[in-house]
Amino acid sequence: MTLMTDPAPAQSAPRDAFALLKTLAERQRARQDAPGFAGAPLLDLSIGNPDLAPEPRWRERLQHYVGRDDLHGYGEFRADLNQRLRERFAAYYQRRFLPPGAPALLDPQRHVVDLLGSKEGIFHSLFACLQPGEAVLMPDPSYTVYQSTARLLRARVELFACDERGQPQLESIRAEQLQGARVLVICSPSNPTGIALAPARLEQVLDFARRHDLYVVIDRAYAEIAFEPPRGGVLGGAALPAPGALERVLELHSLSKSCGVAGWRIGFAAGAPALVAKIRAAKFNADFGTFLPLQCVAAEMLDELEAIAARNSAVYAARMRRFVDGAAALGWRIAPSHGTFFLWAPLPPGFDGDDLDFVEALLDATGVLVAPGSGFGPGGAGRVRVALVQSEAVLDEALRRLRAWPALRRDAAA
């Protein structure tokens, strides 16, 4: 497949949240650096860059492996260590998403490939599915990387609506959108909305894909950042155990958020053997594998992932309650998320215009930066995404600045 860097000519690229945020953050930092700046410094709640770090013992384990002379070559050429990593992921998946006693679901060789983070998996999974001019279906709003990757591949992006509960409305997909469609991409729990795919809706997605001969890529990067306890010890949301799913579904998983190791770049794609083989072949020609000490530590972390993730999820749940309650005291009603560390907030009372205008006004007046909802697709218009990736003290400072903002205070009192 020939990569082209310009967007497909039949489509105009929408607002891109990350490009907008980069521009806004750079502008605010330039102001701060200017002589005589008297405003509030940047307080960034726009990007989901986790502030939680791994426990000291995991850093010590990494130091141990870095100290070994035999672990500094190409990762691709230590098949024994990579096999163990994939085996530990398959064991984790079995333990976490299937009931006790269920037959083994994933073959580590055929069904699992490790990634340099799940974001890399987005690119490779779409690269494995799409040819130029073919279509990818995705909900509106969606994580912008799905859209930008598809356009990089010169594929068509076909957005479909979500209902008032944030669940995808597959019945809204038109016949012309299905022309040349090869894959449906969905995120659960969702970035940006924090909404998890309901079990019945997941069944509908899989049935829709079967009827229309589509691959399904389900981004599960936030699967472990969940705020409801597993039922019967089984965490919900997995698609691969469903009948026939292993032939057409690819799930993307990550240690970044659950373990506080976003910079380590450890993720996995699991599912359809045809796609796993294509991703593995592409990676062999692109990166030669993950740094071996990271593979060794990740294999150990997978054996304790539930406990690690539970501690981090508790932190994010407390932050979410704190921010939701603080915003409510200002008259800004925000529903808590099902999972992730994001809040998907309507504009506060009195702000009925463009969400980007609100983001810029908020930044100019308070130094607080949040992400404009329309940057994730037209369906995000009128909302903002708040990333709770700062300490409670920093979140309290953000709420203090909001409380002092005359525009918000006036509208909340009205």
Side-chain angles (χ1 to χ4, degrees), residues 36-158:
F37 175 74
L42 178 65
L43 197 161
D44 196 346
L45 301 180
S46 67
I47 299 294
N49 183 22
D51 64 313
L52 301 182
E55 294 178 304
R57 69 187 180 103
W58 296 117
R59 291 177 250 180
E60 291 167 4
R61 293 302 292 160
L62 181 58
Q63 289 173 341
H64 165 74
Y65 287 116
V66 169
R68 283 178 46 175
D69 291 343
D70 63 329
L71 297 180
H72 294 272
Y74 290 128
E76 183 69 33
F77 297 109
R78 284 299 302 267
D80 56 330
L81 297 180
N82 191 254
Q83 176 70 14
R84 179 172 180 269
L85 177 62
R86 287 182 280 111
E87 287 173 352
R88 300 328 302 154
F89 176 82
Y92 154 75
Y93 195 98
Q94 184 79 21
R95 191 174 69 239
R96 196 61 162 149
F97 299 109
L98 283 91
L105 180 69
L106 299 179
D107 177 341
Q109 182 61 32
R110 298 179 60 244
H111 295 133
V112 182
V113 58
D114 59 300
L115 304 165
L116 302 178
S118 59
K119 187 175 181 180
E120 183 199 41
I122 295 167
F123 177 85
H124 281 304
S125 59
L126 295 185
F127 183 79
C129 292
L130 292 166
Q131 296 289 331
E134 294 179 339
V136 52
L137 307 172
M138 62 186 72
D140 178 18
S142 283
Y143 183 42
T144 59
V145 173
Y146 310 146
Q147 301 181 42
S148 57
T149 295
R151 290 187 169 90
L152 182 67
L153 300 173
R154 292 187 65 81
R156 292 179 8 246
V157 174
E158 297 290 354

Side-chain angles (χ1 to χ4, degrees), residues 185-310:
V185 178
I186 204 159
C187 184
S188 179
S190 167
N191 176 9
T193 69
I195 294 171
L197 198 61
R201 204 60 59 100
L202 175 58
E203 290 181 11
Q204 292 176 14
V205 167
L206 298 179
D207 179 66
F208 183 90
R210 179 189 56 78
R211 288 187 286 109
H212 295 283
D213 194 23
L214 301 171
Y215 282 116
V216 180
V217 175
I218 304 183
D219 186 348
R220 300 276 288 150
Y222 297 91
E224 286 284 358
I225 307 298
F227 306 132
E228 292 187 5
R231 296 182 180 180
V234 176
L235 193 63
L240 297 179
L246 275 177
E247 296 306 312
R248 68 175 66 253
V249 176
L250 195 73
E251 290 189 16
L252 303 178
H253 289 258
S254 173
L255 301 190
S256 294
K257 285 77 177 178
S258 55
C259 299
V261 292
W264 292 20
R265 312 312 300 138
I266 303 289
F268 301 88
L275 298 184
V276 166
K278 288 183 178 181
I279 292 172
R280 186 172 288 132
K283 284 177 61 60
F284 181 78
N285 288 282
D287 61 56
F288 266 163
T290 302
F291 184 44
L292 288 167
L294 291 175
Q295 292 194 44
C296 294
V297 179
E300 295 179 5
M301 296 180 91
L302 284 164
D303 287 338
E304 302 183 35
L305 185 51
E306 296 94 319
I308 300 169

Side-chain angles (χ1 to χ4, degrees), residues 52 96 189-190 193-196 222-231 235-236 257-258 309-322 324 335-344 386 388-389:
L52 301 182
R96 196 61 162 149
S190 167
T193 69
I195 294 171
Y222 297 91
E224 286 284 358
I225 307 298
F227 306 132
E228 292 187 5
R231 296 182 180 180
L235 193 63
K257 285 77 177 178
S258 55
R311 286 191 290 272
N312 288 345
S313 290
V315 172
Y316 291 127
R319 292 177 181 180
M320 189 163 293
R321 289 191 297 269
R322 195 179 194 92
V324 166
S337 298
H338 298 162
T340 77
F341 40 56
F342 297 120
L343 286 170
W344 187 237
V386 183
L388 304 175
V389 291

Side-chain angles (χ1 to χ4, degrees), residues 386-398:
V386 183
L388 304 175
V389 291
Q390 304 280 4
S391 68
E392 290 191 354
V394 174
L395 295 178
D396 286 345
E397 170 62 15

